[in-house]
């Protein structure tokens, strides 16, 4: 009799323990689901922001600036001009801004702005 009572008590203990373990698994599943949803939403938000920035800069995904050899009479620039700055200079010129204004807004020298405008962006 004593052995059967001990086995019944152990069985009841494990049943009660299994009820608590199921709840912890559900809690972990819920946390993982919430985390994956949050990551998915943040990824989509970043994609939307990137698309907006690309549209503002009017760049295509495979945008490349054609490279041209520097003219021998002109001193060579210390660093090549970034393609984004080139497109910005061209767009500001289309809007009718003066070279001095474009230079101030794009952080390029006036000579660099003139060079971009004369070459049409092929720097």
């Amino acid at each position: 009799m004593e052995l059967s009572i001990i086995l019944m008590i152990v069985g009841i203990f494990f049943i009660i323990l299994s009820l608590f373990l199921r709840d912890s698994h559900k809690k972990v599943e819920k946390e993982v689901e919430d985390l994956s949803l949050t990551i998915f939403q943040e990824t989509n938000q970043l994609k939307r922001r990137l698309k907006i920035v690309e549209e503002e800069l009017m760049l295509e995904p495979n945008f490349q600036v054609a490279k041209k050899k520097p003219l021998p009479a002109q001193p060579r620039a210390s660093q090549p001009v970034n393609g984004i700055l080139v497109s910005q200079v061209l767009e500001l010129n289309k809007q009718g801004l003066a070279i001095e204004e474009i230079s101030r807004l794009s952080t390029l020298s006036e000579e660099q702005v003139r060079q971009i405008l004369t070459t049409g962006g092929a720097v």
Side-chain angles (χ1 to χ4, degrees):
M1 281 297 241
E2 290 181 27
L3 183 60
S4 61
I5 293 175
I6 293 174
L7 289 175
M8 279 178 85
I9 292 174
V10 170
I12 292 172
F13 173 75
F14 282 120
I15 290 172
I16 293 171
L17 182 65
S18 70
L19 293 176
F20 288 116
L21 289 178
R22 285 184 191 163
D23 290 339
S24 67
H25 288 298
K26 288 181 182 179
K27 184 178 178 182
V28 170
E29 285 179 17
K30 175 86 171 126
E31 288 176 2
V32 168
E33 184 178 331
D34 290 343
L35 180 63
S36 65
L37 253 173
T38 304
I39 291 173
F40 179 73
Q41 289 173 345
E42 288 178 4
T43 303
N44 281 340
Q45 188 177 24
L46 285 173
K47 285 180 182 179
R48 274 188 258 123
R49 286 182 183 176
L50 182 61
K51 185 176 181 180
I52 290 170
V53 168
E54 285 178 349
E55 288 174 358
E56 285 179 358
L57 295 174
M58 291 183 291
L59 292 178
E60 295 176 353
N62 297 326
F63 180 78
Q64 292 181 350
V65 177
K67 294 185 179 181
K68 186 177 178 182
K69 292 181 184 178
L71 299 174
Q74 296 176 341
R76 187 173 181 177
S78 60
Q79 293 181 344
V81 179
N82 187 342
I84 295 172
L85 286 175
V86 170
S87 63
Q88 181 185 22
V89 167
L90 294 174
E91 187 61 33
L92 291 173
N93 184 48
K94 285 180 186 176
Q95 294 176 8
L97 275 81
I99 291 176
E100 296 81 20
E101 182 90 16
I102 294 173
S103 174
R104 185 179 60 79
L105 291 172
S106 65
T107 67
L108 295 173
S109 68
E110 289 182 19
E111 182 59 36
Q112 288 174 315
V113 172
R114 282 189 194 93
Q115 185 180 6
I116 290 170
L117 294 176
T118 57
T119 61
V123 183

